[in-house]
Amino acid sequence: MQATQVSAPFHRPGWVYEEKVDGYRVVAVKTGESLRLISRTGVDYAKRFPELAQSLAALPAETFTLDGEVAVYDQARISRIEWLRARPKDVPASGPVYVAFDLLELGGRDVRGEPLWKRRKLLESLIAGRRTVLPVRRLSSNGLRAWAQAVHRGYEGIVAKDPESPYEAGRTSRWLKVKQPDYRKDARGFYRE
């Protein structure tokens, strides 16, 4: 499921608002002992991130399919996609983590037709207590406050989601994203690496 970009922050009663993660979009697929981390272009990142693949494989389900992003966070807990390619030396940062924002299949059961709120509960139960597999951070339940939080904390933006939405292939208007226009600029106006 892909969010449709909109130009300005908004509030829709009942919707949920999440951090927009700046990482590699990856679907994690576990089948028995096999764990794959598949990008949208079909690349399997399991060998590139072996510890992360091990953490996902250790989750307590025989099979699952998660939608999320592989990310690295700086000391301020801001995701930094450029650090997945090459992290600067002597800079405090997390190792790669899997930030899960949806669940498509669990234990052989296709849950894509279930509402997002129910899939989120199943997802949270599956990954509870993990340090390298995390649910995407939820922000304020008010879209405009969520946007203010994202700007204040330095996130790339927000993703707004209809909690009743099923999981659909492709781009949808039931998930909407708003990005900060100058996200890559630091406080002095220079673009970050």
Side-chain angles (χ1 to χ4, degrees), residues 7 44 58 65 76 94 107 114 162 174:
S7 60
D44 187 347
T65 303
S94 73
E114 300 289 341
D162 176 353
R174 294 180 84 173

Side-chain angles (χ1 to χ4, degrees), residues 2-76:
Q2 294 176 300
T4 298
Q5 186 162 339
V6 296
S7 60
F10 62 91
H11 174 68
R12 289 198 182 157
W15 277 41
V16 294
Y17 302 89
E18 300 173 344
E19 166 195 9
K20 181 164 185 340
V21 178
D22 195 15
Y24 295 166
R25 181 80 180 262
V26 172
V27 173
V29 180
K30 179 182 176 185
T31 309
E33 299 295 313
S34 169
L35 190 289
R36 294 177 298 143
L37 296 171
I38 308 298
S39 74
R40 283 192 272 191
T41 58
V43 175
D44 187 347
Y45 282 117
K47 288 183 182 171
R48 181 164 178 191
F49 303 108
E51 292 90 7
L52 195 53
Q54 277 185 320
S55 292
L56 284 156
L59 291 175
E62 186 69 23
T63 66
F64 62 74
T65 303
L66 301 175
D67 192 354
E69 297 210 18
V70 175
V72 171
Y73 285 88
D74 67 17
Q75 201 169 15

Side-chain angles (χ1 to χ4, degrees), residues 35 61 78 91 144 157 162 173 183 190:
L35 190 289
I78 298 170
V91 175
L144 299 176
D162 176 353
S173 61
Y183 173 67
F190 296 109

Side-chain angles (χ1 to χ4, degrees), residues 73-133:
Y73 285 88
D74 67 17
Q75 201 169 15
R77 295 193 64 202
I78 298 170
S79 56
R80 304 286 300 257
I81 192 171
E82 66 274 15
W83 290 3
L84 284 166
R85 296 180 196 105
R87 190 171 112 201
K89 292 188 182 348
D90 302 325
V91 175
S94 73
V97 297
Y98 188 81
V99 182
F101 45 78
D102 215 331
L103 176 69
L104 288 69
E105 179 269 328
L106 181 61
R109 183 174 154 236
D110 184 344
V111 296
R112 292 177 294 177
E114 300 289 341
L116 174 64
W117 65 265
K118 188 180 263 187
R119 296 192 312 272
R120 174 71 182 220
K121 281 186 173 187
L122 292 169
L123 170 67
E124 288 175 351
S125 177
L126 175 66
I127 65 177
R130 304 299 166 151
R131 296 184 63 176
T132 57
V133 183

